[in-house]
Amino acid sequence: MTALTDPLTLPCGQVLGNRLMKAALSEGLGTADGAPDERLDRLYHRWSAGGFGVIVTGNVMVDRDHLGEPGNVVITDERHLDDLRRWAARARAGGAKLWMQINHPGRQANPLASRARPVAPSAIAVGLPGVPAPRALTAAEIVDIIGRFATTARIAERAGFDGVQIHGAHGYLVSQFLSPLANRRDDRWGGDPQRRARFVVEVVRAIRAAVSPGFAVAIKLNSADFQRGGFTEEESHDVVGALAAERLDLIEISGGSYESPAMIGRPAARSAGTAAREAYFLEYARSVRSVAGTVPLAVTGGFRSRAAMLDAVSAGECDVIGLGRPSAVTPGAAADILHQRIERLPARSISLGLPARVATLPNVKSLEGALDLQWHTDQLHRLGAGADPDPARTPWLTAAAMLKHHGVDAFRSRRGAGAPAPRDPALRKFEFERAVGRYLANPAVRALGRIGIRTTFATELETTGRKSGELRVVPVSVSFDDTGAWVISQHGTRSGWAANIGAEPKVRVRQGDRWRSGVAELRPDDDVVARARGFAPNPVLAGLTAATFRALQSTPISVRITFTD
């Protein structure tokens, strides 16, 4: 029977001293130039004495122009090699293996930290407020990013790290390629599950070719997106099977994205058996065991008691137990469990304690998800400053600090801490325009429609709610032609109807007294200024029409509707 203290030999020959892993937590403690500094050294030195068999770092970015949050470490060349070597030496001082989690955020790039417009497999925005719509990657750019993953891995090995973990979960770029919600390509990088999986397979191959045979290559993979129409468990099984043939050393099972954050237990439903056994994704790990073959499996999320960890490993359901948030509060969590000093790790589910009817509202759930992540990030920052964790820190103190430093924009289901975020002028404009639409323009258009007054300039668009699945009708301005119509989403995917199109492109639009069926596509590369002039009911009014659009818009995107009826 396998014990938690048993070593684990990986396919590459590397030996983990025990079955407990410090799972990745994004620290936000890099310098402005993307280098690790003394705060990361102090934090990882604490974990190095924590008894873990392997320690996985938080997000290290492979592209300096695209960051997941402020404070990410970035590796694109060897400019910070000495700093990386110092970080690795401090983290490995206690005998644990050290793996660097490497990542590209894709469409989840943080606009406060990134230098360029987000990129993604397809020009489909993430369903979070204030996140800019991405542009679709070209085939050449996809190949370049694959090379960037390999370059970062090669430098990590030079710096003294023992391996890398590809972040293929939680809605980041690798996960975006796998998900049919984010990847609508019809070339060799998308179109069916096999082609959507090509990107991650090529990343693994490129890394393996760039590092030595004894260097570990692992991946964190979603069991599912937990979103309607997203990456399913069945598709995930197929991806695991494909990756098992690529000389991987460990597959860590996680799930969800920042739109549906199952990785922190919100809001994925769990069976009674899973809840009783603590781990969020253990049932999936059991189901995929035969597909993974000889590649070891790690499960992270929900483990708190020594008994549950031992049961999972001894039953062969997984080979490694990942501890994420508990390690932020108890840096010596692994040693405490292995030496039986405690039977259950202390952990808090961070909540404001609001009434149930309020706490279940979508915006409140997103707020508490962001608050949970920030509370644990606060503990990492205390460790990085040389202090001890503060398990008694009230969530309201974290909430007040978030509000003070970031304003109301802090309360989004986004990961990480970082530089203060100014109030977004585009968001203010969006909120004003939405109020005008909701209380003035929309009622006016509907009232005119009821008395038989129709116009092609102001009509109605019907989309399918991306969360509710119900039909939504909104007044819009439309420019019709022989094969379809153009619409401008004045605020990109901040507009609910544009976000709905990203999830379900089938729409209907009213042309006079007739409803026309069509397929809508976001066209972020279209010239919105020129397009707006074409909406004028008379060429003489083109300038005025364009000026009106410009006055109301913030991050506009053209939308093309192609008729199918």
Side-chain angles (χ1 to χ4, degrees):
M1 182 176 72
T2 304
L4 296 175
T5 53
D6 287 349
L8 174 65
T9 302
L10 303 179
C12 69
Q14 194 171 121
V15 179
L16 307 185
N18 59 63
R19 301 308 179 97
L20 297 184
M21 173 178 75
K22 199 293 290 180
L25 295 168
S26 194
E27 314 93 355
L29 290 174
T31 68
D33 193 35
D37 66 9
E38 67 278 359
R39 296 171 299 170
L40 276 173
D41 295 349
R42 283 192 289 263
L43 171 61
Y44 278 80
H45 192 60
R46 288 290 297 269
W47 277 328
S48 76
F52 296 97
V54 60
I55 296 171
V56 184
T57 74
N59 281 332
V60 171
M61 295 293 147
V62 303
D63 190 328
R64 201 165 293 278
D65 290 336
H66 300 275
L67 305 185
E69 56 260 332
N72 281 146
V73 173
V74 187
I75 301 177
T76 58
D77 51 41
E78 296 186 359
R79 73 182 73 179
H80 300 309
L81 188 58
D82 289 341
D83 296 320
L84 292 169
R85 283 173 170 159
R86 185 193 65 241
W87 181 21
R90 295 293 298 277
R92 298 175 73 239
K97 299 299 182 183
L98 178 65
W99 295 352
M100 179 186 290
Q101 186 184 76
I102 57 178
N103 189 15
H104 190 297
R107 66 179 187 173
Q108 287 187 172
N110 189 307
L112 298 175
S114 299
R115 302 176 180 178
R117 181 178 179 178
V119 294
S122 301
I124 300 171
V126 64
L128 293 171
V131 180
R135 65 172 178 81
L137 287 161
T138 66
E141 288 173 324
I142 292 172
V143 173
D144 176 71
I145 291 174
I146 291 170
R148 288 176 180 273
F149 274 94
T151 295
T152 302
R154 177 183 58 78
I155 296 170
E157 183 174 24
R158 284 207 65 193
F161 287 76
D162 299 294
V164 291
Q165 182 192 66
I166 302 160
H167 200 333
H170 303 172
Y172 292 111
L173 185 63
V174 172
S175 180
Q176 290 162 32
F177 268 95
L178 292 171
S179 173
L181 288 178
N183 185 352
R184 302 281 179 82
R185 303 179 73 95
D186 58 4
D187 59 4
R188 67 193 297 261
W189 304 104
D192 56 48
Q194 292 73 34
R195 284 182 287 171
R196 290 199 302 270
R198 185 188 300 274
F199 179 76
V200 65
V201 169
E202 292 298 334
V203 167
V204 172
R205 289 174 178 172
I207 291 174
R208 182 49 78 195
V211 299
S212 64
F215 189 76
V217 181
I219 189 167
K220 187 170 196 164
L221 186 69
N222 268 7
S223 60
D225 286 345
F226 299 99
Q227 290 178 277
R228 181 179 303 176
F231 185 57
T232 66
E233 286 197 7
E234 292 74 18
E235 290 174 335
S236 182
H237 277 218
D238 292 338
V239 172
V240 169
L243 292 175
E246 297 297 332
R247 293 187 294 158
L248 274 180
D249 293 292
L250 186 75
I251 298 174
E252 180 187 354
I253 303 301
S254 188
S257 67
Y258 292 102
E259 295 172 273
S260 181
M263 61 280 193
I264 58 171
R266 311 166 193 262
R270 292 187 283 158
S271 70
T274 299
R277 302 192 63 202
E278 302 181 353
Y280 304 151
F281 308 110
L282 197 56
E283 289 181 4
Y284 172 84
R286 187 188 308 119
S287 73
V288 82
R289 166 61 84 184
S290 61
V291 181
T294 60
V295 179
L297 295 180
V299 173
T300 300
F303 280 113
R304 297 294 180 268
S305 71
R306 179 179 175 276
M309 299 176 202
L310 181 58
D311 284 349
V313 170
S314 61
E317 293 171 323
C318 64
D319 303 285
V320 174
I321 304 294
L323 300 175
R325 286 178 295 162
S327 70
V329 181
T330 310
D336 288 345
I337 289 292
L338 294 173
H339 297 299
Q340 302 183 41
R341 291 195 287 261
I342 58 175
E343 288 299 317
R344 186 176 185 86
L345 293 171
R348 292 188 62 179
S349 178
I350 304 305
S351 170
L352 296 176
L354 301 172
R357 63 182 181 181
V358 176
T360 55
L361 295 174
N363 288 343
V364 176
K365 288 163 69 176
S366 292
L367 181 153
E368 292 205 330
L371 189 66
D372 191 299
L373 291 168
Q374 183 62 54
W375 188 90
H376 286 89
T377 300
D378 289 347
Q379 306 299 335
L380 302 186
H381 287 202
R382 288 181 60 84
L383 289 166
D388 289 327
D390 179 15
R393 179 180 174 86
T394 170
W396 286 100
L397 184 59
T398 293
M402 290 173 69
L403 184 62
K404 176 181 178 181
H405 292 299
H406 299 277
V408 296
D409 286 350
F411 298 103
R412 299 183 185 141
S413 186
R414 292 282 294 164
R415 187 174 198 153
R423 178 69 169 156
D424 185 358
L427 181 58
R428 288 199 300 268
K429 184 184 283 191
F430 164 63
E431 291 170 343
F432 171 76
E433 191 273 339
R434 182 174 58 180
V436 170
R438 179 175 297 171
Y439 300 114
L440 180 62
N442 296 2
V445 170
R446 291 189 177 110
L448 290 171
R450 283 195 295 270
I451 62 175
I453 298 177
R454 298 276 190 259
T455 172
T456 59
F457 184 68
T459 186
E460 291 179 305
L461 176 70
E462 180 185 87
T463 64
T464 302
R466 62 194 182 282
K467 295 180 180 178
S468 67
E470 298 177 358
L471 297 178
R472 302 293 188 189
V473 177
V474 294
V476 291
S477 297
V478 179
S479 175
F480 289 98
D481 54 40
D482 292 340
T483 61
W486 288 94
V487 189
I488 293 176
S489 174
Q490 293 165 287
H491 303 285
T493 53
R494 281 196 180 103
S495 298
W497 64 264
N500 289 347
I501 286 171
E504 174 49 73
K506 294 179 181 178
V507 300
R508 292 201 309 160
V509 62
R510 190 167 63 189
Q511 185 177 21
D513 293 320
R514 177 188 177 190
W515 281 95
R516 304 293 304 272
S517 298
V519 175
E521 178 186 4
L522 302 176
R523 296 279 188 87
D525 294 326
D526 186 61
D527 187 342
V528 179
V529 175
R531 185 68 58 194
R533 296 178 67 87
F535 276 64
N538 187 298
V540 177
L541 301 176
L544 177 61
T545 301
T548 302
F549 272 99
R550 188 166 56 251
L552 294 175
Q553 69 195 19
S554 57
T555 53
I557 297 177
S558 296
V559 180
R560 176 62 183 174
I561 300 173
T562 303
F563 291 146
T564 57
D565 54 15

